[in-house]
Amino acid sequence: MPKRVRTITDLAKLAGVSPGTVSRALAGKSLVNAKTREKIEALAREHDFRLNQMASRFRRQKTGVIGVVIPLGHDRRQQISDTFFMTLLGYLADELTERGYDLMLRRVIPDKDEDWLDRFIGSGMVEGTIVIGQSDQFDRIEDVADGYRPMVVWGNHQEGQRHCVVGSDNRLGGKLAAERLIASDCQSIAFLGSTDPIEFAARFAGAKAVADKMGVSISVLPTHLNPDRAADEIAEHFASSHSDFDGIFAATDLLAVACLKEMQSRKIAVPGKVKLIGFDDLPIASQTQPPLTTVRQDIAAGARCLVDLLLRRMNGESTESLVLPPKLIARQTA
Amino acid sequence: MPKRVRTITDLAKLAGVSPGTVSRALAGKSLVNAKTREKIEALAREHDFRLNQMASRFRRQKTGVIGVVIPLGHDRRQQISDTFFMTLLGYLADELTERGYDLMLRRVIPDKDEDWLDRFIGSGMVEGTIVIGQSDQFDRIEDVADGYRPMVVWGNHQEGQRHCVVGSDNRLGGKLAAERLIASDCQSIAFLGSTDPIEFAARFAGAKAVADKMGVSISVLPTHLNPDRAADEIAEHFASSHSDFDGIFAATDLLAVACLKEMQSRKIAVPGKVKLIGFDDLPIASQTQPPLTTVRQDIAAGARCLVDLLLRRMNGESTESLVLPPKLIARQTA
DNA sequence: GTGAAAGCGCTAACAA
DNA sequence: TTGTTAGCGCTTTCAC
């Protein structure tokens, strides 16, 4: 029985040529006789031959792999934005595949592993790195940014930061939300959620800027980001507070949905008595009753930009950070 | 200025030992003098030395990488179960990381790429493969199963199939749903969604078995799986049909949510006039008003099983498929 | 246009 | 316990 054709050398013997020629033929290099190439390709097909990628990549010093890390800081474990991040991840996978790269995924818990980013980068397995979400690791990311070019981060942009980031203009998003609430006659706005994550802080800041300018009061109703924990906290807010707000800007859609539910069970009319705006425009947003007014981030575009910038940086170019404008999606809660 | 310590040989020179010894020391092999080891480790730390993983893995013929493929069949592009699959993916990432493996992700569109599975497996980059969802690719997966042991699939189990699968007992899930509806006095049940994907067909079959036995009528209200497209289809069903059902079993939570919304806008009382049950127990399920009764799949457990079985198969063991029992989560829509 | 040969950086016999 | 050596399978000069 015929031994399996496993290496390029096996194939070379069959074809009666040298391994080098097989390599060239299979790599689609120009300087190979058409006849020779055809013969080799036919043989390869026939014997179901596949290049050993480990060897090839090792030899070329190219892994062909882009690493994607999701740091799970503060209470982000199985957290609210997961849906958003995971959707982004899906688009990244599509985009990278299209460009011929593989995607290596790692979720890390920074508290447990100080060294998470260096370890990933230094693993030698990835040619470039995309970090999804700064979590509470802004400083650590800044630390490596100077010494490691092929990295792009999804997250919030800070004046003067060193790492290349693409993300939504969270501040603008906050502005849009506040403007909408105020245009709907809200006099007193509550920001629902945490302002710990830098992105959310920016959303709040944007809203506050508008509120302050318009002489509308704004305050934070703090919650955890996990919707289940948040549900109780929201209930408490409604129970204890003087309910002195007529507009709510939720840090994310999931929080907004939880809040909507609480208000409905308390028979608070939405948008009649209280207006509500979310953030993200997840699929659920259009499925609530009434459908949720929210601020949309274009996730697919975000993924495309991340990959674009990364590939350019891997090419030695230097790149500016990119801030994508979010869009108000007016539905019925505000 | 000191040249960077890049290779094990550089480090060996500094330490005044041979590369072999450095390799052993860094690999934590037992037969190395404690002093020597310490010295080498100190030097490695000092010079921030990191093993070239490509070389190491290539040499050992172990990539340390598990491939995860998500085939996007029928109208599954940006589809309904995405949320479910992506959550599963997150857990898989955690589980694999814990066991020291990296995760390589690929989404494929089988229609465009007949050869998707062989290509992935044959890439030589992965030691094992997890396929998330059979999509409409059951046969193709069966084809490779015999020739390729280290593969486990999330999906539905068929009598006598050859590939190792772990998944929920969709049939049982369907039964639970139907039993619940019937116990709530439903006389006529509608199954909302597609029965094309094999998992959903099983959900329907389970429900039908119970309905038939109890003399309750059951029919399919076909929709696409994408909630946005489904929304219109659901509206049409309500507009055109004789609304001769008093219980709805939706193939997924997302469909259930869309349906709930439609019923509310038509002032159909839920659960008063029509009962409703979903499937998956996604985070949204508890956030609707009223909260959704549904059938829960334990995603984390699923991920753990997938990884367990895969590692055992990579070890040469042969393994049975695993069917996990779903659980009825009784909330307020049925 | 093709062959021969020299490694990529590491690990694992085998010797010492 | 350590050093020496022979590759892993491929790509890429450099000759011819």
Side-chain angles (χ1 to χ4, degrees), chain B:
Chain B
M1 88 170 213
K3 210 180 63 189
R4 209 183 132 237
V5 179
R6 212 174 42 81
T7 72
I8 224 174
T9 314
D10 296 343
L11 196 61
K13 279 194 193 112
L14 281 182
V17 296
S18 76
T21 304
V22 174
S23 173
R24 285 186 283 258
L26 260 28
K29 294 258 203 273
S30 50
L31 8 60
V32 179
N33 183 305
K35 282 244 167 74
T36 321
R37 154 169 293 129
E38 268 170 41
K39 192 208 244 167
I40 292 173
E41 279 171 350
L43 241 27
R45 251 194 315 279
E46 182 190 339
H47 293 274
D48 200 30
F49 170 80
R50 277 185 175 86
L51 218 59
N52 181 326
Q53 291 292 341
M54 279 304 279
S56 168
R57 292 170 186 211
F58 168 52
R59 173 59 232 247
R60 287 185 332 221
Q61 308 284 58
K62 299 242 173 215
T63 64
V65 176
I66 301 299
V68 174
V69 209
I70 306 182
L72 264 26
H74 19 79
D75 62 345
R76 288 227 170 172
R77 206 126 166 62
Q78 76 235 91
Q79 96 275 37
I80 202 166
S81 311
D82 245 28
T83 316
F84 178 81
F85 284 173
M86 289 290 144
T87 309
L88 181 56
L89 177 64
Y91 284 111
L92 283 176
D94 293 345
E95 200 68 36
L96 287 172
T97 305
E98 210 147 289
R99 316 262 199 136
Y101 284 94
D102 285 318
L103 186 164
M104 203 160 100
L105 173 66
R106 196 175 289 182
R107 299 216 287 189
V108 296
I109 302 171
D111 310 339
K112 289 194 186 169
D113 180 10
E114 283 264 309
D115 212 23
W116 62 276
L117 190 47
D118 303 272
R119 286 244 314 265
F120 194 62
I121 290 168
S123 74
M125 283 300 289
V126 299
E127 274 175 67
T129 302
I130 295 175
V131 179
I132 303 190
Q134 291 145 326
S135 185
D136 49 6
Q137 300 291 306
F138 191 93
D139 296 336
R140 171 144 279 110
I141 299 172
E142 280 288 90
D143 286 347
V144 307
D146 287 326
Y148 180 69
R149 313 307 321 298
M151 175 175 76
V152 181
V153 179
W154 173 272
N156 198 63
H157 183 72
Q158 298 272 77
E159 195 67 40
Q161 74 177 55
R162 298 192 300 278
H163 66 265
C164 178
V165 82
V166 3
S168 291
D169 188 336
N170 285 296
R171 206 158 198 292
L172 172 59
K175 275 189 195 166
L176 294 174
E179 280 166 4
R180 173 76 179 194
L181 289 173
I182 293 170
S184 312
D185 281 332
C186 291
Q187 298 298 326
S188 172
I189 298 176
F191 177 81
L192 186 70
S194 167
T195 55
D196 277 356
I198 194 168
E199 303 96 310
F200 296 175
R203 289 173 198 178
F204 174 66
K208 182 159 169 32
V210 170
D212 288 352
K213 197 173 76 187
M214 308 292 281
V216 167
S217 79
I218 186 166
S219 60
V220 176
L221 250 43
T223 71
H224 281 87
L225 267 17
N226 174 308
D228 286 332
R229 292 177 74 177
D232 296 337
E233 296 165 334
I234 293 169
E236 273 168 42
H237 282 310
F238 278 99
S240 70
S241 97
H242 316 83
S243 288
D244 52 353
F245 46 80
D246 50 11
I248 297 177
F249 171 30
T252 77
D253 279 351
L254 262 50
L255 246 24
V257 170
C259 182
L260 178 61
K261 183 190 168 200
E262 179 63 26
M263 289 197 282
Q264 287 175 336
S265 76
R266 288 178 179 270
K267 307 255 183 278
I268 299 172
V270 180
K273 188 141 182 354
V274 176
K275 316 267 189 273
L276 175 64
I277 293 192
F279 207 105
D280 283 345
D281 196 26
L282 299 180
I284 344 142
S286 59
Q287 300 297 328
T288 56
Q289 185 65 293
L292 191 64
T293 295
T294 190
V295 177
R296 173 188 295 169
Q297 315 195 57
D298 186 344
I299 310 183
R304 221 172 307 119
C305 292
L306 281 168
V307 173
D308 266 352
L309 289 185
L310 181 62
L311 295 188
R312 282 165 50 192
R313 302 194 121 237
M314 285 165 51
N315 246 341
E317 293 179 47
S318 53
T319 59
E320 294 297 319
S321 289
L322 214 54
V323 177
L324 305 171
K327 218 164 75 184
L328 186 87
I329 303 297
R331 287 196 271 255
Q332 296 169 30
T333 58

Side-chain angles (χ1 to χ4, degrees), chain A residues 6-8 23 52 56 59:
Chain A
R6 210 173 44 80
T7 72
I8 223 174
S23 173
N52 180 327
S56 167
R59 173 60 231 249

Side-chain angles (χ1 to χ4, degrees), chain A residues 130-141:
Chain A
I130 295 174
V131 180
I132 303 190
Q134 290 145 326
S135 184
D136 48 6
Q137 301 291 307
F138 192 92
D139 295 337
R140 171 145 279 108
I141 298 172

